[in-house]
Structures are given as C-alpha cells and as structure tokens.
Amino acid sequence: MIQSMTGFGKAVAELPDKKVIIEIKALNSKQFDLLSRVPPLYREKEMEMRSMISQHLIRGKIEFIITSESIASDVPNQISIPTFASYKKQIEEIAEKMNLITPSDWFKTILRLPDVIKTGVDEVDEEEWAVVSNAVELAIRKLCDFRIQEGQMLKELFEEKAANIRALLEQIPQYEKERLERIKSRISENLFNLPEIKIDTNRLEQEMIYYVEKLDISEEKSRLDNHLKYFMETLENSEGQGKKLGFIVQEIGREINTLGSKSSHAEMQRLVVQMKDELEQIKEQVLNVL
C-alpha cells in the first residue's frame, strides 16, 4: 500500500507541572530532511528523538516541534543574568552601529527572548522522559496514519487515471486500418501527380511497405499496456514505491509521445492528447508518494 509524504501528527504529554506538546509535519522531498525545534530542557534527548523519527518516516521534509506550557503556579523561575546581559549588549551594539535609538521597552523584549527565563529544572528525569517519549511515538504514529489515509486517496486517483489511459488506448485500433489506407493513398496520389516521372510500381510497393512498417505502432501499444500493468502492480506493493512509480510514469509518457508522433490521424491524435492529460494528473501527484 502506497503512502503519501504529507502528513501531520500531534500528541500532548501531561505532566504534574506542565504540558509538553509534540507536533510533527511532513511534506514531500527527495530525501529525508528533518528540522527540529526543541526546548533547551530536552536538547540532550534530541538525537534519540531524531532516531525515532527517521526509523518511521524514511523520506520527506519533516518539521518536528516541541513546546512546553507550565501549568503549575509554584514552579521557581529564574532570570539567567549572563543570557540577559548578552542580549542587552548585542542590542546596544546593533543600535550604535546602525545609528538607531535603543527601544524604550528593551527590558520586556529581552525577557521574552529564548533561554532568558529558566525554570528550576535543569535536566529531564527518567519518569518525565518516559512520558514525553511516549508522546513523541504517538505523534509519529498519528502522522503515519495520516500518510496511509492520504496514500489511499492517491491510489484511487492513480487507478482511475491509469484506467482512463487504458480505455483510450483500447480505442486506437479502430482507426489504424483507415490511418494506413490514408497514408498509402496520399503517397500514391502525390507520386502519380508528378509530371513526366515513370513510377516503378514494384519498387513503390516495397518502399510503401517499408514506410508503413516504420509507422506501425504495435510495439508502442504493447509497451504502453505493459507499463500500465506494472504501474498498477507497483501500487499494490509495500510502502516506499514513490520513486519507482515516478520512473514508470516517465516510460508511460515516452510511449504516449511516440504514439502521437506516429499517428498521422486526427482521431488518434485526439486520443493521445487525452492520454497526456490523464498522465499529467498522475505526474502532479506521484511526486507526493513516499
């Protein structure tokens, strides 16, 4: 079953003094690209959380965010004087270099900057980490469930569009005999209308056979049919088939283009245009398959 690369998962870890909110968002990407925003308290566990995410999500542009909300009134908060002083110095230097007036509310501004206000807890104990790591796993599972649901919708779309291409392909044979007769007739008329030229009918027949064989589309039809079958089979395989589906779609496109260049028939060209339209809708979405 194919999966989408887009998804969202959210979980909340309830602790005695705070709520820890975990959010994971995923978008399509050729590689695994993880951007994490983790509070200082959980930085020591960041590599472990990254490992948990990479084991399940494999590919995509992943945004992993942890936020913490205090729900206890008696948690001792402290201002980090070194951090505060560093921010103040930077603000003053920027104001001096850029000839700006130091804002009147600089004190409140600095208090809102990261790591200025610290709780009395400097590290995560095992009990808290067990709750938070379970929430991370839950958020990952929710994102994976989201990907499966989106994948099912993509699968249904692909099946519909592939079936439409096959139906259009099955209409082509009804025009093939007429197409070849028109080509032969047009060549013969043009040759025999040339003045003072003696036509060797035997040689003409040989050249006509050669030309008609070059315009034969039996192989293209067969290959296109096989590619469509392989595409449908791949849809039923396990996850991680996005790149393979993309390659198959490229091959389908090549055969459709060759059919169009060889057709020389208005109705057949109309069918080819419709095939391209159906395939373009597959191309747009296949990039989003894991």
Side-chain angles (χ1 to χ4, degrees):
M1 177 70 69
I2 65 170
Q3 293 186 24
S4 169
M5 266 193 282
T6 59
F8 178 76
K10 180 178 179 179
V12 179
E14 299 280 357
L15 296 162
D17 59 345
K18 61 187 170 184
K19 288 196 305 182
V20 180
I21 303 165
I22 293 95
E23 294 179 306
I24 309 179
K25 303 173 186 177
L27 297 172
N28 59 340
S29 175
K30 292 182 178 180
Q31 309 296 331
F32 178 79
D33 182 12
L34 175 59
L35 172 65
S36 62
R37 285 189 281 170
V38 179
L41 182 62
Y42 299 108
R43 291 271 168 79
E44 62 180 281
K45 301 292 186 181
E46 185 172 357
M47 293 308 298
E48 187 174 340
M49 290 185 284
R50 280 176 168 267
S51 177
M52 293 164 62
I53 294 169
S54 63
Q55 286 176 11
H56 292 88
L57 302 188
I58 305 172
R59 192 159 66 99
K61 185 176 181 180
I62 314 298
E63 186 177 5
F64 174 63
I65 303 171
I66 294 182
T67 53
S68 178
E69 297 178 2
S70 175
I71 57 175
S73 59
D74 58 348
V75 176
N77 292 332
Q78 294 180 342
I79 296 175
S80 172
I81 295 176
T83 305
F84 187 98
S86 175
Y87 280 130
K88 180 176 181 295
K89 183 180 178 182
Q90 291 179 62
I91 290 174
E92 290 172 344
E93 288 176 352
I94 292 171
E96 183 180 350
K97 287 181 180 179
M98 302 187 69
N99 200 21
L100 300 172
I101 299 174
T102 304
S104 58
D105 60 345
W106 62 268
F107 190 89
K108 292 181 180 179
T109 301
I110 293 176
L111 289 177
R112 290 196 291 267
L113 293 173
D115 301 336
V116 175
I117 304 295
K118 291 190 173 183
T119 65
V121 181
D122 292 328
E123 59 183 28
V124 182
D125 59 36
E126 290 302 317
E127 185 177 349
E128 178 177 337
W129 173 239
V131 176
V132 173
S133 63
N134 285 337
V136 172
E137 289 179 353
L138 178 59
I140 293 172
R141 286 200 301 271
K142 287 184 176 180
L143 188 147
C144 290
D145 291 342
F146 193 105
R147 280 182 157 186
I148 290 171
Q149 293 174 7
E150 290 287 309
Q152 179 60 34
M153 294 173 61
L154 289 175
K155 180 174 179 288
E156 291 172 1
L157 172 68
F158 293 153
E159 288 174 340
E160 176 189 347
K161 299 306 174 183
N164 290 345
I165 293 173
R166 184 179 296 282
L168 292 165
L169 177 62
E170 291 172 352
Q171 295 180 46
I172 284 181
Q174 64 182 305
Y175 301 110
E176 286 191 80
K177 184 177 180 180
E178 178 188 354
R179 162 181 166 265
L180 293 177
E181 291 300 326
R182 285 185 180 180
I183 292 171
K184 290 179 181 179
S185 175
R186 187 168 64 248
I187 294 174
S188 297
E189 288 177 3
N190 290 336
L191 285 173
F192 284 107
N193 286 336
L194 291 174
E196 300 178 359
I197 291 181
K198 186 177 180 181
I199 304 298
D200 185 337
T201 55
N202 291 329
R203 180 62 184 272
L204 174 61
E205 189 68 25
Q206 291 175 4
E207 293 295 332
M208 192 83 75
I209 291 172
Y210 173 76
Y211 185 67
V212 168
E213 285 179 349
K214 285 186 69 77
L215 291 177
D216 182 65
I217 57 174
S218 299
E219 289 188 12
E220 285 76 12
K221 290 190 300 178
S222 177
R223 284 196 295 264
L224 178 54
D225 181 65
N226 288 333
H227 291 331
L228 289 170
K229 288 177 181 176
Y230 190 34
F231 183 81
M232 298 298 289
E233 290 170 4
T234 306
L235 286 177
E236 301 296 336
N237 291 341
S238 59
E239 63 185 58
Q241 300 297 318
K243 290 183 179 180
K244 182 183 286 187
L245 288 171
F247 296 145
I248 300 171
V249 166
Q250 290 179 12
E251 295 303 318
I252 291 174
R254 288 191 183 97
E255 300 306 329
I256 292 175
N257 287 334
T258 306
L259 282 174
S261 64
K262 283 188 172 184
S263 60
S264 300
H265 188 281
E267 286 301 315
M268 288 176 63
Q269 289 175 335
R270 179 182 61 82
L271 294 174
V272 167
V273 169
Q274 290 178 299
M275 287 185 198
K276 289 182 177 181
D277 182 56
E278 298 292 337
L279 185 65
E280 195 62 33
Q281 295 178 61
I282 294 177
K283 284 181 178 180
E284 289 175 2
Q285 296 300 326
V286 80
L287 296 173
N288 200 30
V289 177
L290 183 64

